């Protein structure tokens, strides 16, 4: 049975391109025949760096100010204002973020990703040095929002809500704001003056704080729901996990990483510490514990159940810990904490070997589960054991919204199910990057603002991501990637000074010039120069990133402008004839 004819489909199926000719029109070269029936369209796309940034920073935007593409009287100030629109902690994040943005950077397919994190640190330091202030609070809306938790998620939400004109009160069980950035990250990574400066900028917007107040003890969630128009829960994951092995519980000198790091922040060098600290774990937190122990004058031993190549820590974190004096036992599982009286004598460990194919867990995504004990045990002598094997949220006082899972659950609007005016974000949902918590706070604030104004909650926006395949990468001259100096100190004992040094202004300018402005015109004039029909017209007064347009009466669809566009801003769209 024959179907009805579809003239459009028939035309497309039977269409034959005209024969190739080198001359047409005014004798110009045309690459795809006389007419391709496609003409250039200008598509502003999201650069992959911003797409991969959990905080949603306009990375391309602030680099265009730094490299001079977008003109302004004060490039650094304009760049700083661009970055803090989404992330009020550029100086902090520029020091500790593992920069997933750089993994997305299209420049990696040419000569190496742009050093985005280094630029962020330099901008953050500039903002602090110059005393720059965040955008002022918006006109008063008469609405009040309680933010439970003064960590990165809560502070981010408070900042964005205050900008929108809502009164904000931060409620935190600690004595200082900062959450795990303060209580879990050491001063040699983030100087306390840097953290305090970026927090103060937020509270200076007129945010009230109630410190030392625990929800579930001093006040209930239900009371806060009645007192405030909306509530944001960003309590983080501040409970360290214990080892389920004999001798761990109830033994003096045995603790978890979260408590160990927190106690140092509270007590300083007066914290009780062993002469030889055994750290169980293979992640960045384990490296931090070992490096802190070394600074307190102890010896530090890392115990990893997996080999070096499967450890979860970043390469630089591991290298720093070993260089500073930590020793490592690989493929060593923890069996028992051995006691001497009430304290620690040693850690009994078992040699681990990789499971054979087909064994339960042999291909698990969790490296630890891919190994099993050989049965051969050995002892590591020490007088303190710290388990750095993860953390969880303390949902005491939040049982009504935890569903018994130990974690909060939110919908796509960051609203807690069954609670119309309660929203949440950060590590209490899932332990992730601090940058992720900042992004959660901003997105939740957008939903809270819409809720308070009686508007529809914002839906996630689909992003058209700029692809390297659509860019002429050869336009860019090879340029070495900037590299920050991480100071190496001969004697770490008692030295808590920050180690990572920022780029110089000259290095910042050079690095920003490596940005390819993916997905947005930067006025390179390639399309104007290569168009054989002189159909591309450049206008200086067009909006930012839109300095060219096409005279479609002259355009013959040769594709050259698209092929030579370094940013991928020009694509070929459908023209007349199809």
């Amino acid at each position: 049975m024959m179907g009805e004819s579809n003239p459009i489909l028939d035309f497309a199926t039977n269409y034959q391109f005209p024969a190739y000719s080198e001359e047409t029109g005014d004798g110009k070269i045309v690459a795809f025949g006389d007419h391709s029936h496609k003409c250039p369209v200008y598509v502003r796309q999201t650069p992959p760096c911003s797409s991969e940034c959990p905080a949603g920073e306009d990375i391309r935007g602030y680099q265009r100010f730094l490299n001079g593409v977008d003109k302004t009287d004060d490039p650094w100030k304009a760049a700083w204002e661009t970055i803090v629109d989404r992330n009020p902690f550029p100086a902090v994040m520029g020091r500790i973020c593992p920069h997933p943005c750089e993994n997305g950077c299209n420049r990696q397919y040419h000569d190496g990703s742009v050093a985005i994190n280094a630029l962020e640190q330099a901008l953050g330091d500039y903002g602090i040095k110059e005393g720059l202030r965040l955008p002022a609070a918006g006109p008063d809306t008469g609405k009040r929002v309680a933010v439970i938790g003064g960590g990165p998620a809560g502070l981010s939400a408070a900042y964005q809500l205050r900008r929108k004109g809502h009164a904000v009160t931060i409620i935190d069980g600690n004595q200082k704001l900062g959450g795990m950035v303060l209580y879990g990250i050491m001063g040699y990574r983030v100087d306390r003056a840097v953290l305090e400066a970026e927090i103060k900028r937020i509270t200076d917007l007129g945010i009230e704080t109630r410190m030392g107040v625990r929800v579930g003890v001093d006040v209930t969630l239900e009371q806060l729901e009645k007192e405030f128009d909306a509530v944001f829960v960003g309590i983080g994951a501040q409970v360290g996990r214990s080892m389920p092995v004999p001798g761990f519980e109830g033994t003096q000198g045995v603790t978890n990483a979260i408590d160990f790091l927190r106690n140092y922040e509270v007590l300083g060098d007066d914290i009780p510490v062993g002469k030889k600290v055994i750290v169980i774990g293979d992640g960045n937190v384990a490296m931090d514990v070992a490096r802190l122990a070394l600074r307190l004058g102890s010896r530090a031993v890392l115990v990893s159940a997996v080999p070096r190549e499967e450890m979860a820590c970043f390469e630089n974190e591991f290298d720093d810990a070993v260089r500073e004096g930590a020793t490592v036992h690989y493929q060593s599982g923890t069996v028992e904490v051995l006691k001497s009286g009430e304290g620690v004598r040693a850690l009994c460990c078992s040699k681990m070997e990789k499971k054979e194919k087909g064994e339960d867990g042999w291909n698990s995504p969790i490296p630890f589960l891919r190994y099993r004990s050989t049965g051969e045990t050995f002892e590591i002598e020490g007088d303190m054991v710290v388990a750095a094997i993860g953390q969880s949220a303390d949902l005491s006082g939040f049982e009504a919204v935890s569903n018994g899972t130990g974690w909060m659950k939110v919908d796509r609007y960051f609203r807690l199910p069954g609670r119309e005016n309660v929203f949440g974000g950060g590590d209490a949902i899932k332990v992730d990057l601090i940058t992720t918590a900042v992004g959660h706070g901003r997105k939740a604030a957008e939903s809270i603002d819409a809720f308070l104004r009686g508007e529809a909650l914002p839906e996630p926006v689909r992003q058209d991501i700029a692809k390297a395949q659509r860019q002429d990468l050869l336009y860019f001259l090879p340029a070495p990637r900037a590299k920050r100096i991480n100071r190496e100190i001969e004697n770490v004992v008692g030295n808590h000074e920050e180690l990572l040094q920022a780029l110089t202004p000259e290095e910042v300018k050079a690095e920003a010039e490596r940005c390819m402005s993916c997905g947005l015109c930067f006025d390179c004039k390639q399309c104007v120069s290569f168009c054989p029909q002189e159909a591309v017209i450049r206008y200086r007064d067009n909006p930012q990133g839109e300095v060219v347009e096409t005279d479609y009466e002259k355009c013959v669809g040769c594709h050259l402008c698209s092929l030579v566009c370094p940013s991928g801003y020009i694509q070929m769209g459908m023209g007349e004839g199809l």
Side-chain angles (χ1 to χ4, degrees), residues 117-137:
N117 192 236
L119 297 178
E120 187 173 18
Q121 179 191 5
L123 275 176
D125 288 355
Y126 168 83
I128 293 173
K129 179 182 177 182
E130 297 298 319
L132 299 183
R133 301 178 67 85
L134 296 172

Side-chain angles (χ1 to χ4, degrees), residues 128-194:
I128 293 173
K129 179 182 177 182
E130 297 298 319
L132 299 183
R133 301 178 67 85
L134 296 172
D140 185 17
T141 64
K143 302 293 185 180
R144 301 173 65 228
V145 183
V147 172
I148 305 173
L155 287 166
S156 174
Y159 162 56
Q160 300 293 351
L161 288 165
R162 193 72 191 102
R163 290 179 65 184
K164 299 177 188 299
H166 308 303
V168 179
T169 299
I170 298 177
I171 300 166
D172 194 288
N174 298 307
Q175 296 302 316
K176 293 183 179 180
L177 295 173
M180 289 307 295
V181 182
L182 174 65
Y183 292 105
I185 295 177
M186 296 296 97
Y188 59 81
R189 295 183 64 194
V190 178
D191 189 287
R192 291 299 175 255
V194 170

Side-chain angles (χ1 to χ4, degrees), residues 85-250:
D85 180 64
R86 293 295 186 96
N87 173 18
F89 304 104
V92 171
M93 295 305 149
R95 288 160 163 78
I96 61 175
C97 181
H99 42 77
C101 53
E102 295 181 18
N103 295 333
C105 176
N106 283 344
R107 183 105 192 188
Q108 66 181 295
Y109 305 110
H110 185 49
D111 60 357
S113 299
V114 176
I116 299 168
N117 192 236
L119 297 178
E120 187 173 18
Q121 179 191 5
L123 275 176
D125 288 355
Y126 168 83
I128 293 173
K129 179 182 177 182
E130 297 298 319
L132 299 183
R133 301 178 67 85
L134 296 172
D140 185 17
T141 64
K143 302 293 185 180
R144 301 173 65 228
V145 183
V147 172
I148 305 173
L155 287 166
S156 174
Y159 162 56
Q160 300 293 351
L161 288 165
R162 193 72 191 102
R163 290 179 65 184
K164 299 177 188 299
H166 308 303
V168 179
T169 299
I170 298 177
I171 300 166
D172 194 288
N174 298 307
Q175 296 302 316
K176 293 183 179 180
L177 295 173
M180 289 307 295
V181 182
L182 174 65
Y183 292 105
I185 295 177
M186 296 296 97
Y188 59 81
R189 295 183 64 194
V190 178
D191 189 287
R192 291 299 175 255
V194 170
L195 177 60
E196 290 169 3
E198 296 204 313
I199 291 175
K200 186 176 185 300
R201 278 200 303 246
I202 296 175
T203 57
D204 281 350
L205 295 175
I207 293 172
E208 179 190 2
T209 59
R210 299 180 188 175
M211 306 306 297
V213 176
R214 291 190 59 84
V215 175
V217 177
D218 305 300
V219 66
T220 66
L221 177 60
E222 290 73 19
Q223 288 174 324
L224 294 175
E225 287 182 76
K226 293 178 181 178
E227 181 183 353
F228 293 87
D229 298 293
V231 177
F232 174 80
V233 182
I235 56 175
Q238 301 188 29
V239 179
R241 290 179 177 168
S242 300
M243 289 290 296
V245 298
F248 192 91
E249 297 293 343

Side-chain angles (χ1 to χ4, degrees), residues 410-431:
V410 296
D411 61 18
R412 67 179 184 275
Y413 308 114
F414 290 87
R415 179 153 57 185
L416 275 65
R419 291 295 220 271
E420 184 185 28
N421 67 336
V422 182
F423 299 76
D427 281 354
I429 297 175
K430 178 187 177 182
V431 177

Side-chain angles (χ1 to χ4, degrees), residues 461-478:
V461 178
R462 180 188 176 276
Q463 297 179 328
D464 187 8
I465 310 300
K467 302 293 185 184
Q469 297 91 325
R470 293 177 175 174
Q471 299 176 240
D472 180 16
L473 302 184
L474 294 179
Y475 168 84
F476 302 97
L477 296 176

